[in-house]
């Protein structure tokens, strides 16, 4: 283990000693990201589209048949709702960046990264990053890669090139237009299997726009890994 990793592990252990772990959803004592009650209430993502992960009866949803996204697959820790939605809301809007650490570790256990993968995150718009004080997807990716087997974190390989509106409340077509061409990737992803980390996949528009940038820079494969998949 590298010195930096040892330092982070020691710091994490000290934090756990001073501040015993609490459930990311309800705040009760917990051994991991969730207490036993909330963990039992988490819903797995139902079977559905092999490409975008949309739950449903079809192996390939209508949207992916009409226009396949630039990523190869979506893998999520659970279905958006209940305790998982509460935890994500607390991370994103509750001013609790420390939740990224247990949630990222939980995600790595649920959706392991293949050895040798390059882990990037969907960059938050600059204005929202300043308002929030942190980029939750970047923090999730940092924690996720610590629980991955020989995967490597590439923090600067994907960047947002322009400001965009928040996707919340926008229709599917509006979401796609909002983020079209909003990302750029560096040559560091060329020929690599890339894991693209985000908190929630809803329509997949943001992940698709980010994946297109990764493809343009030569990524060999792209799998989106998120805490939750919305129905």
């Amino acid at each position: 283990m590298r010195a930096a990793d040892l330092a982070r592990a020691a710091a994490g252990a000290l934090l756990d000693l001073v501040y015993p772990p609490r459930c990311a959803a309800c705040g009760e004592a917990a051994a991991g990201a969730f207490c036993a009650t909330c963990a039992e209430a988490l819903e797995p993502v139902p079977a559905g589209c092999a490409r975008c992960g949309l739950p449903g009866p079809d192996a390939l949803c209508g949207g992916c048949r009409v226009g396949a996204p630039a990523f190869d697959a979506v893998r999520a820790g659970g279905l958006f709702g209940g305790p998982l939605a509460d935890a994500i809301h607390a991370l994103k809007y509750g001013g609790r960046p420390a939740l990224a650490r247990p949630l990222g570790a939980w995600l790595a256990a649920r959706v392991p990264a293949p050895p040798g993968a390059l882990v990037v995150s969907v960059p938050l718009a600059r204005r929202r990053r300043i308002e929030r004080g942190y980029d939750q997807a970047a923090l999730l990716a940092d924690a996720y890669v610590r629980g991955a087997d020989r995967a490597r974190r590439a923090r600067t390989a994907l960047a947002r090139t322009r400001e965009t509106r928040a996707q919340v409340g926008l229709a599917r077509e509006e979401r796609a237009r909002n983020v079209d061409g909003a990302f750029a990737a560096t040559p560091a992803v060329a020929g690599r299997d890339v894991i693209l980390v985000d908190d929630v996949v809803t329509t997949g528009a943001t992940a698709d726009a980010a994946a297109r940038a990764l493809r343009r820079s030569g990524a060999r494969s792209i799998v989106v890994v998120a805490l939750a998949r919305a129905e």
Side-chain angles (χ1 to χ4, degrees):
M1 185 178 289
R2 294 175 302 177
D5 294 328
L6 284 170
R8 280 193 291 266
L14 181 59
L15 283 173
D16 288 345
L17 182 64
V18 178
Y19 303 103
R22 298 284 176 179
C23 175
C26 71
E28 292 296 317
F34 298 98
C35 67
T37 301
C38 288
E40 188 175 350
L42 298 174
E43 295 184 63
V45 180
C49 180
R51 194 69 178 262
C52 74
L54 180 68
D58 300 323
L60 195 65
C61 72
C64 288
R65 283 198 298 268
V66 172
F71 51 77
D72 296 288
V74 170
R75 303 284 183 263
L79 188 67
F80 186 76
L84 185 53
D86 292 340
I88 292 170
H89 192 276
L91 170 64
K92 292 180 69 172
Y93 308 117
R96 300 177 65 189
L99 289 180
R101 181 169 167 262
L103 288 173
W106 173 83
L107 182 59
R110 300 272 283 210
V111 187
L118 196 66
V119 178
V120 304
S121 58
V122 176
L124 189 64
R126 181 177 179 273
R127 175 175 52 81
R128 289 195 293 281
R129 187 175 68 249
I130 291 173
E131 290 172 352
R132 194 168 296 170
Y134 54 92
D135 181 334
Q136 77 280 349
L139 295 179
L140 278 172
D142 289 346
Y144 176 83
V145 81
R146 285 197 289 272
D149 181 22
R150 300 192 303 278
R152 185 169 72 83
R153 178 78 166 101
R155 292 180 179 82
T156 60
L158 182 66
R160 200 176 274 254
T161 57
R162 63 175 177 82
E163 290 293 298
T164 58
R165 296 165 59 193
Q167 295 282 66
V168 176
L170 298 182
R172 186 183 187 92
E173 295 77 11
E174 292 175 317
R175 285 173 176 254
R177 287 195 299 270
N178 185 41
V179 293
D180 184 36
F183 301 97
T186 71
V189 304
R192 301 297 298 272
D193 296 315
V194 176
I195 297 293
L196 178 62
V197 175
D198 206 358
D199 45 36
V200 181
V201 173
T202 306
T203 66
T206 301
D208 183 34
R212 290 185 188 281
L214 293 167
R215 289 287 189 198
R216 287 193 295 270
S217 289
R220 178 169 57 189
S221 69
I222 303 164
V223 174
V224 181
V225 173
L227 288 172
R229 180 56 166 100
E231 292 185 279

